[in-house]
Each structure stands twice: as structure tokens, then as C-alpha cells.
Amino acid sequence: MSLKDCYYIELPKIHNTNGNLTFIEGLNHIPFEIKRIYHLFDVPGGSERGGHAHKDLQQLIIAMSGSFDVILDDGYQKKRFHLNRSYQGLYVRTLIWRELDNFSSGSVCMVLASNLYDESDYYRNYDDFLRALTQRSKT
Ligand code: TYD
């Protein structure tokens, strides 16, 4: 996958003077079925998260509160995405290296995932990730 396959997705929003509401349906608002949801919270200022790519997993990353940046890298180029709205997600495809930084205090990062947690689905070493990309381009 390349960076152009990763993009912001604007989620439906129901406006109400007493507060807004957003919802997400797998395969409707996002291109995959949701198998797992997790969130990062109490992230200390200056922290960096991520530093890995996935073999099969697709994700939608949302700043439920506060803001942070996601840096995506397809092995050829890198792009920084800023997330700061609970009704906007970043769609991250397979075989994309990601890093998260610039967390505001009290921020909450929610991730919708297309699969259950599986450590064998991770590339945690950047050189292994690059090697996997090279293998894929040969096949
Ligand atoms: P990781 O995916 O590396 O988090 P991040 O990308 O935010 O830095 O996961 C951090 C740790 O949590 C790692 O030891 C694996 C574990 N983990 C689970 O046990 N279940 C999960 O669903 C997730 C996402 C992580």
C-alpha cells in the first residue's frame, strides 16, 4: 500500500444544541469490519507511540479528545497527519509504518481495528518492514 491509500475519513455528525453525536458503522463509513477497539490515554507529554507496521491489519485512528500527530511512511515517503476532531478518522492501510507524537495533555487516541490483537501481525523493526515491501514488490 502507498500513502495515497491512507486518508482522512469524515464521520457522520448529528448536530444538536445540547451536544453533537457521531457514529461509525463498519463497512459503511469505513472500508472494513470492526473487530476490535482500543484507546490510548494518560499519554505523557513528549511521548512517542507506534513505531511499527502491520501485515494485514487496517485501522482507523481518531482523536477522541485533544490532539496528536500520526506520521505515516510507505517506505518511499512520509506524511504527517494532524488529528484533533472526534468526528474525523485517519484510515491506515496494511504495510504502512506509523509513528504517533505531539500528544496534547489529556488526549485520547481511539483505534478501530479490522482484526483481533496478534503480535505476529506486527513489523516492529523498520528494516524488516522495508524488506517485506521489497518482497511484495517482487511478487
Ligand atoms: P502497540 O500496538 O505497540 O501500541 P502503540 O502502537 O500505541 O505504541 O501495543 C503496546 C502494547 O500493548 C504491546 O505490548 C502489545 C499490547 N497490546 C495488546 O495486548 N492488545 C492490543 O489490542 C494492543 C493494540 C496492544
Side-chain angles (χ1 to χ4, degrees):
M1 289 297 162
S2 85
L3 277 188
K4 66 176 168 37
D5 302 307
C6 302
Y7 45 84
Y8 290 116
I9 293 180
E10 194 84 3
L11 300 165
K13 192 162 47 149
I14 313 278
H15 290 275
N16 189 303
T17 46
N18 297 322
N20 300 326
L21 183 151
T22 281
F23 55 95
I24 310 164
E25 295 167 359
L27 290 178
N28 187 2
H29 306 111
I30 57 175
F32 59 86
E33 247 180 288
I34 301 160
K35 290 267 181 64
R36 177 169 51 114
I37 300 174
Y38 63 92
H39 64 276
L40 307 175
F41 59 102
D42 288 349
V43 180
S47 295
E48 291 177 7
R49 305 274 322 200
H52 53 77
H54 288 278
K55 298 174 188 172
D56 281 319
L57 193 76
Q58 302 172 64
Q59 296 176 316
L60 188 84
I61 304 177
I62 304 173
M64 291 304 282
S65 184
S67 64
F68 52 86
D69 290 352
V70 183
I71 304 106
L72 298 183
D73 174 351
D74 63 6
Y76 296 94
Q77 48 175 334
K78 282 187 188 194
K79 190 169 171 187
R80 180 176 285 270
F81 295 85
H82 186 60
L83 289 174
N84 63 350
R85 305 255 184 269
S86 63
Y87 54 87
Q88 184 189 59
L90 177 64
Y91 178 43
V92 183
R93 305 291 291 260
T94 57
L95 282 180
I96 299 286
W97 189 266
R98 87 285 315 275
E99 275 156 17
L100 287 79
D101 67 11
N102 203 18
F103 287 90
S104 68
S105 73
S107 58
V108 176
C109 167
M110 184 171 82
V111 182
L112 311 185
S114 63
N115 270 317
L116 303 183
Y117 171 70
D118 176 7
E119 187 58 38
S120 70
D121 187 65
Y122 282 74
Y123 289 111
R124 291 200 181 270
N125 176 288
Y126 190 72
D127 289 335
D128 291 345
F129 161 67
L130 290 181
R131 261 192 294 275
L133 290 179
T134 312
Q135 290 293 334
R136 290 248 174 155
S137 65
K138 280 186 194 157
T139 55

